[in-house]
Amino acid sequence: MKRIYMIEDACIGCHLCEVGCITEHSLSKDPVRAYLHEPERPIARCTVEEIDGGIVSFSTTCRHCDEPDCLRACISGAIQKNDNGVVRIDTEQCVGCWSCVMACPYGAIQRNLKKKKANKCDLCPDRVSPACVDACPNRALVFKEGSQK
């Protein structure tokens, strides 16, 4: 299955992957409207981590593991893996216990504190490639075939 891979040496810490993700998951699909005018801004499903004052930076996103720890940890059954290998959270079923957050070894699941739900990458199912990959100006994110864990 296709997954997002990070090329750490190419990441410049610009956070445009986060902007692309928020825009894609917004109501308007417009960055300005998503940030300033929508009643609730989506949470980025990828996060840029910076180490040593930003000297080293990389984008963290869900690896859609072959055997996801988050799925096993989910007490409500909200996390499912579809036939294509994509691991998704059914937010209607999520009870906000954060077990998946603690179980993910990659730190790829965010807590939506307003909705009390878990949030993670869904690989932008309505797009050919994820918004974060397309938004990266330095090609530090690639979407390609591979296996994980």
Side-chain angles (χ1 to χ4, degrees):
M1 95 167 248
K2 281 189 163 185
R3 292 182 166 91
I4 300 170
Y5 293 93
M6 173 68 202
I7 302 169
E8 183 181 312
D9 293 341
C11 181
I12 58 174
C14 67
H15 297 262
L16 286 175
C17 54
E18 293 174 1
V19 174
C21 181
I22 288 170
T23 302
E24 178 61 26
H25 293 91
S26 70
L27 296 173
S28 65
K29 308 285 189 215
D30 176 87
V32 174
R33 285 190 182 120
Y35 273 81
L36 300 176
H37 303 296
E38 289 189 9
E40 192 171 315
R41 181 188 323 162
I43 295 173
R45 295 158 190 230
C46 61
T47 54
V48 174
E49 304 289 333
E50 295 179 6
I51 301 171
D52 293 334
I55 293 171
V56 176
S57 57
F58 54 91
S59 181
T60 302
T61 189
C62 180
R63 306 293 204 281
H64 297 276
C65 300
D66 292 333
E67 296 179 27
D69 293 334
C70 61
L71 188 147
R72 285 193 299 276
C74 182
I75 64 169
S76 68
I79 299 179
Q80 298 294 319
K81 184 174 177 176
N82 69 18
D83 294 338
N84 296 332
V86 178
V87 179
R88 292 216 171 105
I89 297 175
D90 178 351
T91 56
E92 296 298 318
Q93 202 171 341
C94 177
V95 296
C97 69
W98 316 130
S99 294
C100 58
V101 174
M102 293 183 287
C104 177
Y106 303 106
I109 302 176
Q110 298 82 25
R111 297 178 302 153
N112 184 332
L113 296 174
K114 288 183 182 177
K115 292 185 177 182
K116 295 190 170 113
K117 305 286 182 179
N119 193 40
K120 63 175 275 322
C121 174
D122 59 3
L123 291 176
C124 298
D126 299 330
R127 298 174 56 100
V128 174
S129 66
C132 60
V133 173
D134 292 343
C136 183
N138 225 34
R139 307 289 186 250
L141 297 174
V142 293
F143 188 53
K144 66 178 186 174
E145 288 292 330
S147 65
Q148 187 70 37
K149 193 176 163 205

